[in-house]
Amino acid sequence: MPALPIRRRWFSWCLAGAMGLSTGAQAVVASPDVTTHDDRIMKQALDAARDRRWDDIDQAAIQNHVLAGYVEYHRLRARLSTASAAEVNDFIVRHGDSPLADWMRGAAQTRFGQLGRFDDLLAISDGEPSATIRQCYYYTALLDRDPAEASAGGEKLWHVGASQPEACDTLFSTLQQRGVLTDEDTWERMMLAWENGEDGLVTYLERGLDDSWQRAIDSFDSVRGNYAGVTRVPLDLGPDGEASGALIAAAMHGLTRADTEASLEAWRKIAPHVSLNEERRHRIEHDLAFYSMVRDVDNNQGWVDTTLPRLADADLIELRIRNAVTEGNWPNVARWSEALPPDVRAEAHWQYWLGRASEAMGDEAKARQAYQLAAQDRSFFGFAAADRLGQPYQLQMANTQVSTLQQELTGMLPVVKRTEALMRIGEEGLARSEWYTAAARDTPDQAEALADYAIRQGWFGMAIQTTIAAKQWDALPWRFPAAYRDSFIKWGEVNQVDPYLLMGIARRESAFNPQATSPVGARGLMQLMPGTADHVARNLGISAPTTSELFEPQINIRLGSTYIHSMLERYRGNRIAATAAYNAGPQRVDRWLTSAPREFDRFVESIPFRETRDYVQAVLAYRVIFESLAKQGDTQGVAMLSQAERQGNYDPTLIARN
């Protein structure tokens, strides 16, 4: 049968889902009051299933509920020890459009591996698992069925500088018995562990080497206490004389980080004589070049400039350009911009700096050409290039119109019904998992329909993540929705802060997920740390917010807008400095201003923290997008920066108060 056109495929997909033909749980349409009653019973059943209170579940009452598969998941998972591979596969097939399928496969792989049920493990697998423990069991299962694949997988798991799970023990011991993992592999892993600071693993691995390795171990012990001893490492260590390379590479790793200048001196002495594979040699020189530039080691700069073209690593050349920008060395900016790989050189970021360098060197035609290329991009440097040319910004916005029929059909889909039901019973985490699984698997047309649906439901964070999963980079109304707009306008007016700046910060911080929590404990739309929120609340004369209150948009936006207002006051209204301070803290920004280039673009490029450098660029570009979308996509009259921000000096005079 020939492939259906995209729109027709989309219609068929929606219709099949609406009619219950999906392989997942069928959608059930019920009246609102029945749904409320059914949802209450479903929530009770799900809670009971999590606790394995099976007698508390009214199975007959939930069997037709759209979320019945979640209770079935917990039942099957609880009895995986005795469940057959056929039962697991049946569940996976029936729930193939839900994350339940992958979760069940992963749980079964782990349990079957623990029980040594390797035939069953392979029967329910669809290739290499993603988690390390499951990989260990998967390749153990293949030891007798596909020895070559098991060996390749086992070697990959072995060659890491950290301890691996006990699940790998059988795999490793078998491969050692078969001679696949040799003493040389043990030595190489030992060196990786040393690089990684895993002293316990180093000791454990060393005990596995016999007396023929004593000379290599003695050399290791001498270098372990003194990295500079790398120049005295014999070049024929190990029973086969092949162990020196791993020791030298590991010692150079430590010496480069401890004393980069001395490390280059050592490398110059030994590089012509040591036998290293290309990967190790490249890694040593990459490290040397990187740390020489980051630490601004003057004596290493000549070697760096000679070596970069040979290494041809874009990240190193980009760093070299940033250093030249910070120094104001425009010939070097131009030289290294031209040395970038063509696809990287074409990016707006580097075209902008090529334009700046060409302009400074008097080549107006080349500068204009570079700016014009950069100005086609929707980014901080694309907008800065447009400012240089005196032209409006290019948004490159895609059409996000979805027909009424598409909208209606999308609302009938099983994944939509499950997501809505999960939202109703307070299971927002599971709801997001359902939605993102669908977005990642669907065709562009299907993902567009889901993003549109999420926007219309007010699921702003889910809409944004849908566009990311589907790579819908130009779907700006979905990527940058007017989420919580009234609150941003209200508190922006109260605190005299541009509401589009507030929206840009929230979009970068949380992607408009009011329940977002960072690994360090920042919470809510504007990702406030509890300590910062308490401090701001005290200054406002209000009670410190509880943890749960920080997830309430109104409270979070009020406190976040008050805090950014204080940063704007600190830096005389300068949004670049204030935004940097919101991310990295004002003390760091104050310090940067004492030695940074005075021009706005060079100041941004010189920010030493990549996270903050990217953050400032993103927030200010997002701000442009939000203002433009408020004008139906018209960028006329929209300015990323004020005249003062473009032309002011970025030095300590920018600090109004401490």
Side-chain angles (χ1 to χ4, degrees):
M1 177 178 178
L4 294 169
I6 289 178
R7 290 282 171 186
R8 205 170 144 210
R9 284 205 311 271
W10 186 93
F11 182 89
S12 299
W13 171 78
C14 288
L15 191 59
M19 296 176 64
L21 301 179
S22 165
T23 55
Q26 294 185 358
V28 177
V29 180
S31 63
D33 45 350
V34 172
T35 299
T36 301
H37 173 70
D38 289 350
D39 286 344
R40 186 167 57 251
I41 295 175
M42 186 68 235
K43 173 62 173 172
Q44 292 169 352
L46 181 56
D47 288 341
R50 285 167 170 154
D51 296 336
R52 301 191 179 189
R53 292 183 284 107
W54 311 119
D55 292 341
D56 293 345
I57 298 174
D58 186 344
Q59 191 62 43
I62 67 166
Q63 64 182 356
N64 291 322
H65 195 283
V66 70
L67 298 180
Y70 279 82
V71 171
E72 183 187 357
Y73 166 80
H74 285 287
R75 283 189 186 276
L76 181 54
R77 182 173 182 175
R79 62 180 188 84
L80 278 174
S81 296
T82 57
S84 68
E87 288 179 280
V88 173
N89 274 330
D90 175 67
F91 181 93
I92 290 171
V93 169
R94 285 188 294 107
H95 299 278
D97 68 336
S98 167
L100 290 171
D102 287 339
W103 296 342
M104 179 55 67
R105 177 179 281 113
Q109 286 170 331
T110 300
R111 190 65 186 131
F112 290 170
Q114 291 169 340
L115 296 172
R117 294 173 53 185
F118 295 123
D119 287 336
D120 288 340
L121 187 154
L122 293 176
I124 56 98
S125 295
D126 62 347
E128 183 189 59
S130 56
T132 300
I133 288 178
R134 295 167 194 162
Q135 289 175 1
C136 294
Y137 287 134
Y138 177 74
Y139 287 114
T140 301
L142 290 174
L143 280 169
D144 295 326
R145 297 155 185 83
D146 191 338
E149 187 176 352
S151 297
E155 287 185 282
K156 183 173 65 174
L157 288 165
W158 176 266
H159 285 278
V160 296
S163 296
Q164 292 286 43
E166 290 182 4
C168 280
D169 289 353
T170 299
L171 174 64
F172 290 159
S173 62
T174 302
L175 293 179
Q176 286 170 333
Q177 292 167 9
R178 293 178 179 179
V180 174
L181 292 177
T182 64
D183 285 349
E184 284 75 13
D185 292 302
T186 298
W187 174 259
E188 289 186 6
R189 189 179 183 197
M190 183 175 154
M191 295 301 101
L192 291 173
W194 179 39
E195 284 186 22
N196 213 28
E198 295 283 344
D199 293 340
L201 181 58
V202 169
T203 301
Y204 169 79
L205 292 167
E206 184 178 323
R207 288 200 296 264
L209 296 173
D210 60 29
D211 292 344
S212 65
W213 284 86
Q214 192 58 51
R215 180 165 167 262
I217 292 171
D218 291 342
S219 292
F220 167 59
D221 288 340
S222 66
V223 178
R224 194 176 188 180
N226 177 21
Y227 292 128
V230 68
T231 59
R232 298 186 296 275
V233 170
L235 303 182
D236 59 348
L237 295 176
D240 297 324
E242 301 292 333
S244 301
L247 175 56
I248 289 170
M252 286 298 301
H253 174 91
L255 182 57
T256 297
R257 285 153 180 76
D259 188 336
T260 306
E261 186 170 356
S263 184
L264 180 57
E265 291 178 6
W267 180 241
R268 280 173 163 156
K269 289 179 182 178
I270 64 177
H273 312 294
V274 298
S275 177
L276 293 171
N277 62 39
E278 190 57 36
E279 180 183 352
R280 283 194 177 123
R281 189 174 291 269
H282 188 97
R283 183 159 59 95
I284 290 170
E285 294 189 335
H286 183 286
D287 272 7
L288 274 169
F290 176 80
Y291 282 97
S292 294
M293 289 189 285
V294 167
R295 293 173 173 173
D296 195 21
V297 183
D298 288 339
N299 289 340
N300 290 13
Q301 195 59 60
W303 176 87
V304 168
D305 284 355
T306 300
T307 305
L308 288 189
R310 176 167 52 78
L311 294 178
D313 288 335
D315 64 319
L316 295 178
I317 297 174
E318 289 173 6
L319 178 55
R320 184 68 182 90
I321 296 170
R322 281 199 295 273
N323 285 352
V325 167
T326 301
E327 298 162 1
N329 188 329
W330 298 115
N332 269 343
V333 173
R335 171 192 173 188
W336 292 109
S337 295
E338 298 287 2
L340 285 167
D343 58 328
V344 179
R345 184 168 67 247
E347 294 174 6
H349 190 163
W350 308 114
Q351 283 298 310
Y352 176 84
W353 286 118
L354 180 58
R356 284 281 273 122
S358 300
E359 189 174 29
M361 295 161 63
D363 192 339
E364 294 293 336
K366 189 170 185 177
R368 185 170 185 81
Q369 181 184 38
Y371 287 146
Q372 286 174 336
L373 287 172
Q376 297 174 24
D377 195 52
R378 184 181 58 242
S379 66
F380 178 87
F381 285 107
F383 296 155
D387 286 339
R388 288 269 171 182
L389 295 169
Q391 65 185 39
Y393 304 139
Q394 298 294 312
L395 291 189
Q396 309 287 358
M397 183 165 61
N399 178 16
T400 55
Q401 295 298 314
V402 174
S403 72
T404 302
L405 175 60
Q406 289 173 327
Q407 292 175 345
E408 291 175 354
L409 290 172
T410 301
M412 300 179 196
L413 292 173
V415 65
V416 173
K417 293 297 184 183
R418 290 195 299 271
T419 301
E420 290 177 331
L422 288 165
M423 288 284 198
R424 290 195 302 269
I425 66 174
E427 296 286 352
E428 293 187 5
L430 292 178
R432 286 193 290 272
S433 294
E434 281 280 356
W435 202 261
Y436 301 156
T437 297
R441 292 176 178 174
D442 289 344
T443 67
D445 246 25
Q446 295 161 6
E448 286 176 10
L450 290 177
D452 170 78
Y453 193 88
I455 289 290
R456 289 186 288 110
Q457 297 300 312
W459 302 339
F460 302 116
M462 289 168 63
I464 292 167
Q465 294 301 328
T466 300
T467 65
I468 293 171
K471 297 182 169 59
Q472 297 167 321
W473 309 126
D474 296 330
L476 300 189
W478 297 334
R479 289 188 63 208
F480 299 93
Y484 311 100
R485 183 175 182 274
D486 291 344
S487 293
F488 285 116
I489 290 175
K490 172 185 175 180
W491 293 112
E493 289 177 351
V494 169
N495 289 302
Q496 298 179 311
V497 179
D498 173 11
Y500 300 121
L501 177 66
L502 297 178
M503 293 174 75
I505 291 172
R507 172 62 173 79
R508 177 66 176 189
E509 291 283 358
S510 65
F512 289 144
N513 175 10
Q515 301 300 315
T517 302
S518 79
V520 296
R523 294 175 168 87
L525 286 172
M526 299 190 72
Q527 287 292 277
L528 293 172
M529 293 295 293
T532 301
D534 291 353
H535 175 74
V536 172
R538 283 197 303 272
N539 288 343
L540 289 172
I542 62 175
S543 300
T546 63
T547 297
S548 61
E549 286 175 335
L550 283 178
F551 295 118
E552 295 180 17
Q554 281 280 351
I555 294 174
N556 194 279
I557 294 171
R558 179 185 184 184
L559 297 176
S561 62
T562 303
Y563 181 67
I564 192 65
H565 170 74
S566 70
M567 294 298 98
L568 288 164
E569 281 193 327
R570 184 186 188 99
Y571 299 110
R572 304 184 189 278
N574 186 285
R575 290 171 297 177
I576 289 178
T579 303
Y582 194 93
N583 177 261
Q587 290 77 22
R588 289 193 178 99
V589 175
D590 289 355
R591 188 164 62 249
W592 296 339
L593 288 169
T594 63
S595 58
R598 293 188 174 188
E599 297 160 285
F600 85 89
D601 48 2
R602 293 175 61 211
F603 170 75
V604 171
E605 195 68 76
S606 73
I607 292 174
F609 294 174
R610 177 174 184 172
E611 177 190 339
T612 304
R613 192 167 62 244
D614 292 346
Y615 181 90
V616 169
Q617 294 173 41
V619 167
L620 292 172
Y622 291 174
R623 192 224 152 275
V624 167
I625 295 170
F626 280 119
E627 183 179 359
S628 300
L629 289 175
K631 300 169 61 180
Q632 291 72 51
D634 183 5
T635 65
Q636 288 285 349
V638 177
M640 181 170 67
L641 301 174
S642 67
Q643 183 175 351
E645 289 167 336
R646 287 198 307 270
Q647 299 179 356
N649 289 332
Y650 286 75
D651 60 21
T653 64
L654 198 60
I655 305 170
R657 61 179 177 84
N658 292 308

